[in-house]
């Protein structure tokens, strides 16, 4: 028995948000096994879980894809890419063990015969490896393939576990492009798998520091009393990337930053910051509270979008001294593309806790630095004593660094050493790396283990996804309007976005935090 399962018997592990049951032996079937996600993220994550001794015994990974290939070829290819993309250096002994648990299954996604053969294959693996009839299906394919795959899985009974085992499905983003399409996808998934069997992945929720937001808030007594409109002046959430669109124009042209990042990742972070304490740490209790936040978001009227949301696209510029082309000059991008690569929003959560507190959210590609962080800006100290002169003292700011250099810092005022009375902001800083002395697992590692243990806390629920789309749709509609659509602005690659985005905050006396 592996270490995790062992410990679980006597003492359930308190990991992250919840007491997680031990991950169970199963077969992981990856649809889209020759794609980018599988080679960059999924197989390396499964390898790292094995290397860390956390993989349940017997787990088999079956890659399902259209190209002809033998198990051996699949293993060799995956070894090569895992060596390139793995978080930890690949160890030969671990790979030997892990590589032998990889299998390849060739079939078209819509070929019923391929699924009949899959049933035989999985039954055989159950017997050989003791995977207990448990199956985890990973849809790492474009959403237009979902229907064929799910229909066929159901037709051969693979939507149920075998002999008392379980069947679960992990669905990758993009989960729809608007509310109607998300509803339709939910309907399609529902035809084969129940909500309890469905795990909609949002890899930001698997990031160590995202999970730590709830620990910070609810495992400490000092923050929660201040975590409201009385003490918090405003909140900022930034996800900045130096990368451009890379080779993903096919997808990104139809998505843009709002759909790609805000609808999912950034709204999820906002929910973790703004939610009420859940009644317990169960998946539904946590998600019940998150969905209430999305429901409390102040929806814009289409005519208000220009005032609260800025969209922009990068033009040519330089990143770290290296010249980079404009978005419109990137491979497979329409030279007149209207797709936004940057978006900034001023949002409000209209509930008692957050009444009148602005939440400023921005995301962009080709910005000068990569980094994701949340900053909670507290109200100023009263204008008396040390704070009665101008310029007034800086506010206290609590920064949660999601990546890189995961950690939390608190800015406060301190007296400078010396005989005169000078005050300067200082930082109390916690770094994951130095405090715990080990690297955090990648989001996909955590999320795959959670799915193997049946813990859906860090996966998006159907209602959360649909509510988020309802909020996003008005903005997209305003942008798509034939008349009076808010303009698409431009910013040089390597800058912090269009100047107009500063005005979103300036009116209220705020400014974007420098990363
Ligand atoms: C993905 C988006 O979901 O998240 C990408 O599609 C983005 O456009 C990526 O680059 C960012 O994730 P991370 O983990 O690299 O910050």
């Amino acid at each position: 028995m592996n270490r995790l399962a062992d410990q679980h018997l006597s003492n359930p592990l308190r990991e992250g948000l919840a007491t997680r049951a031990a991950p169970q032996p199963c077969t992981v079937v990856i649809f889209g096994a020759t794609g980018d996600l599988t080679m960059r993220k999924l197989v390396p994550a499964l390898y790292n879980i094995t290397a860390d001794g956390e993989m349940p015994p017997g787990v088999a990974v079956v890659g399902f894809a259209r190209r002809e290939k033998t198990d051996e070829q699949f293993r060799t290819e995956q070894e090569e890419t895992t060596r390139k993309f793995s978080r930890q250096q690949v160890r030969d002994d671990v790979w030997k063990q892990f590589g032998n648990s990889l299998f390849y299954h060739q079939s078209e996604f819509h070929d019923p015969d391929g699924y009949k053969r899959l049933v035989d294959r999985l039954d055989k693996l159950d017997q050989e490896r003791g995977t207990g009839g448990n199956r985890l299906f990973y849809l790492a394919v474009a959403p237009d393939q979902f229907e064929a795959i799910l229909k066929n899985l159901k037709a051969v009974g693979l939507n149920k576990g075998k002999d008392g085992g379980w069947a679960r499905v992990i669905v990758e983003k993009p989960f729809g492009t608007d509310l109607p399409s998300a509803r339709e996808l939910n309907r399609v998934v529902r035809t084969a798998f129940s909500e309890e069997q469905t795990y909609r992945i949002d890899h930001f929720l698997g990031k160590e520091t995202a999970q730590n937001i709830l620990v910070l808030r609810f495992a400490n007594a000092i923050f929660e009393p201040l975590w409201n409109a009385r003490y918090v002046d405003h909140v900022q959430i930034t996800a900045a990337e130096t990368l451009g669109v890379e080779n993903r124009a096919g997808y990104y042209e139809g998505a843009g930053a709002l759909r790609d990042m805000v609808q999912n990742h950034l709204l999820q972070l906002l929910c973790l910051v703004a939610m009420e304490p859940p009644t317990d740490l169960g998946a539904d209790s946590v998600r019940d509270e998150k969905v209430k936040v999305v429901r409390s978001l102040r929806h814009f009227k289409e005519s208000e979008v220009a005032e609260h949301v800025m969209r922009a696209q990068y033009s040519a510029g330089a990143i770290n001294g290296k010249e980079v082309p404009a978005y419109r000059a990137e491979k497979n991008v329409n030279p007149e593309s209207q797709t936004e690569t940057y978006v900034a929003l001023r949002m409000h959560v209209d509930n008692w806790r957050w009444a009148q507190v602005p939440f400023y959210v921005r995301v962009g590609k080709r910005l000068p630095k990569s980094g994701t962080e949340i900053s909670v800006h507290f109200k100023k100290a009263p204008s008396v004593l040390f704070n009665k002169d101008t310029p007034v003292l800086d506010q206290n700011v609590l920064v949660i660094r999601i990546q890189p250099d995961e950690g939390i810092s608190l800015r406060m005022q301190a007296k400078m050493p010396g005989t005169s009375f000078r005050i300067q902001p200082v930082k109390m800083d916690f770094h994951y790396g130095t405090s715990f002395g080990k690297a955090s697992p990648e989001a996909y590692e955590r999320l795959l283990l959670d799915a193997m243990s049946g813990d859906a806390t860090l996966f998006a629920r159907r209602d959360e996804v649909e509510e988020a789309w309802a909020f996003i749709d008005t903005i997209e509609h305003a942008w798509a309007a034939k008349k009076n659509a808010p303009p698409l602005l431009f910013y040089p690659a390597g800058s912090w976005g269009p100047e107009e985005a500063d005005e979103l905050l300036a009116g209220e006396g705020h400014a974007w935090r420098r990363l």
Side-chain angles (χ1 to χ4, degrees):
M1 186 173 284
N2 78 340
R3 185 171 57 78
L4 192 64
D6 225 346
Q7 288 178 15
H8 177 66
L9 286 179
S10 53
N11 177 23
L13 288 177
R14 220 160 238 295
E15 284 202 337
L17 307 187
T19 306
R20 184 174 70 191
Q24 288 154 6
C26 60
T27 304
V28 183
V29 182
I30 305 177
F31 290 90
T34 50
D36 232 36
L37 184 73
T38 305
M39 107 193 152
R40 282 173 186 269
K41 297 286 181 191
L42 302 182
V43 173
L46 290 162
Y47 166 81
N48 279 289
I49 294 173
T50 309
D52 286 349
E54 301 216 0
M55 188 68 103
V59 166
V61 179
V62 177
F64 186 120
R66 290 173 274 215
R67 285 176 223 163
E68 286 288 351
K69 209 175 288 224
T70 61
D71 287 346
E72 248 348 286
Q73 280 168 323
F74 184 59
R75 287 171 187 171
T76 310
E77 280 171 19
Q78 293 300 326
E79 179 175 357
E80 212 168 280
T81 46
T82 303
R83 286 190 186 275
K84 199 155 142 204
F85 296 116
S86 166
R87 169 172 69 84
Q88 311 180 74
Q89 204 179 0
V90 170
R91 280 173 32 202
D92 292 343
D93 56 330
V94 180
W95 182 267
K96 199 156 173 242
Q97 174 202 345
F98 175 72
N100 286 336
S101 68
L102 293 181
F103 303 89
Y104 187 76
H105 188 78
Q106 187 280 330
S107 170
E108 293 292 330
F109 294 140
H110 57 260
D111 177 12
D113 190 50
Y115 292 79
K116 287 187 199 135
R117 287 188 285 113
L118 182 65
V119 172
D120 296 341
R121 192 109 199 242
L122 296 186
D123 287 350
K124 198 160 158 249
L125 285 171
D126 279 341
Q127 279 166 18
E128 285 170 7
R129 306 181 62 94
T131 36
N134 298 326
R135 282 84 189 256
L136 180 60
F137 298 102
Y138 201 118
L139 304 191
V141 293
D144 56 3
Q145 308 283 1
F146 286 7
E147 191 151 13
I149 295 172
L150 294 166
K151 203 172 94 192
N152 280 300
L153 285 176
K154 188 176 175 194
V156 294
L158 282 176
N159 58 336
K160 306 234 155 46
K162 188 159 184 228
D163 301 335
W166 47 257
R168 297 178 188 139
V169 64
I170 302 185
V171 189
E172 258 297 331
K173 68 173 271 247
F175 202 81
T177 51
D178 56 11
L179 179 57
S181 59
R183 281 199 177 129
E184 173 57 15
L185 273 185
N186 276 327
R187 187 195 63 72
V188 167
V189 174
R190 197 66 172 264
T191 55
F193 291 92
S194 68
E195 182 63 29
E196 288 65 42
Q197 291 175 290
T198 306
Y199 291 70
R200 292 176 198 80
I201 214 157
D202 186 312
H203 79 280
F204 266 49
L205 287 178
K207 291 184 190 278
E208 198 70 62
T209 325
Q211 295 167 50
N212 201 30
I213 297 171
L214 294 194
V215 179
L216 172 85
R217 291 188 54 197
F218 304 132
N220 294 293
I222 60 170
F223 299 112
E224 209 44 28
L226 307 179
W227 213 258
N228 55 54
R230 188 145 178 224
Y231 298 102
V232 174
D233 181 57
H234 71 278
V235 177
Q236 297 188 16
I237 305 181
T238 296
E241 289 181 283
T242 52
L243 284 182
V245 66
E246 310 305 300
N247 52 4
R248 299 168 70 222
Y251 150 74
Y252 199 83
E253 271 282 87
L258 186 69
R259 289 190 179 105
D260 183 46
M261 294 283 290
V262 181
Q263 185 273 340
N264 36 63
H265 308 325
L266 296 196
L267 285 185
Q268 287 289 347
L269 293 183
L270 188 148
C271 285
L272 294 175
V273 173
M275 66 188 263
E276 296 299 319
T279 46
D280 56 55
L281 294 171
D284 274 328
S285 305
V286 172
R287 298 187 297 178
D288 284 346
E289 296 309 328
K290 278 172 38 212
V291 77
K292 284 187 207 159
V293 176
V294 195
R295 280 197 197 121
S296 306
L297 289 179
R298 188 182 302 169
H299 283 227
F300 309 119
K301 295 199 192 83
E302 279 187 34
S303 57
E304 294 169 343
V305 167
E307 194 190 325
H308 297 281
V309 189
M310 301 287 156
R311 59 171 170 160
Q313 189 188 79
Y314 61 83
S315 48
I319 300 275
N320 296 329
K322 191 169 161 265
E323 284 188 19
V324 293
Y327 177 72
R328 288 178 175 180
E330 302 264 23
K331 202 169 96 206
N332 297 330
V333 170
N334 175 351
E336 291 175 14
S337 172
Q338 291 293 308
T339 301
E340 80 286 356
T341 57
Y342 174 100
V343 54
L345 306 93
R346 179 176 52 222
M347 299 165 65
H348 283 92
V349 180
D350 279 337
N351 60 17
W352 271 68
R353 186 190 280 263
W354 296 114
Q356 310 306 331
V357 176
F359 283 74
Y360 302 110
V361 171
R362 67 178 160 163
V363 52
K365 292 203 183 283
R366 287 286 190 231
L367 300 186
K369 242 176 135 175
S370 287
T372 302
E373 65 159 51
I374 299 166
S375 50
V376 180
H377 300 243
F378 290 91
K379 292 203 163 143
K380 293 192 169 80
S383 309
V384 292
L385 306 179
F386 300 119
N387 209 22
K388 71 174 185 286
D389 303 322
T390 45
V392 293
L393 298 173
D394 285 346
Q395 294 155 270
N396 297 115
V397 183
L398 182 76
V399 179
I400 304 168
R401 290 187 304 273
I402 307 289
Q403 61 188 22
D405 185 21
E406 292 91 335
I408 297 172
S409 70
L410 177 66
R411 186 174 70 184
M412 55 193 194
Q413 306 300 331
K415 179 190 169 301
M416 282 175 78
T419 46
S420 68
F421 224 104
R422 288 179 56 202
I423 295 176
Q424 188 165 307
V426 291
K427 233 171 34 176
M428 263 171 38
D429 216 349
F430 148 65
H431 297 260
Y432 261 85
T434 44
S435 295
F436 293 111
K438 66 174 200 175
S440 301
E442 283 236 347
Y444 278 97
E445 297 170 36
R446 163 79 200 218
L447 295 173
L448 281 162
L449 280 172
D450 279 4
M452 289 181 202
S453 21
D455 182 350
T457 314
L458 300 176
F459 294 82
R461 205 169 58 186
R462 175 189 179 131
D463 50 353
E464 283 180 81
V465 171
E466 292 187 4
E467 293 285 349
W469 277 120
F471 173 77
I472 296 295
D473 275 5
T474 331
I475 304 172
E476 291 286 354
H477 291 160
W479 288 352
K482 295 250 172 332
K483 267 200 206 156
N484 302 329
L488 173 71
L489 306 166
F490 291 88
Y491 60 100
S495 72
W496 277 109
E499 281 170 12
E500 287 85 342
D502 298 344
E503 291 160 19
L504 269 184
L505 290 71
E508 298 175 33
H510 301 141
W512 292 112
R513 224 183 80 80
R514 281 187 49 191
L515 254 66

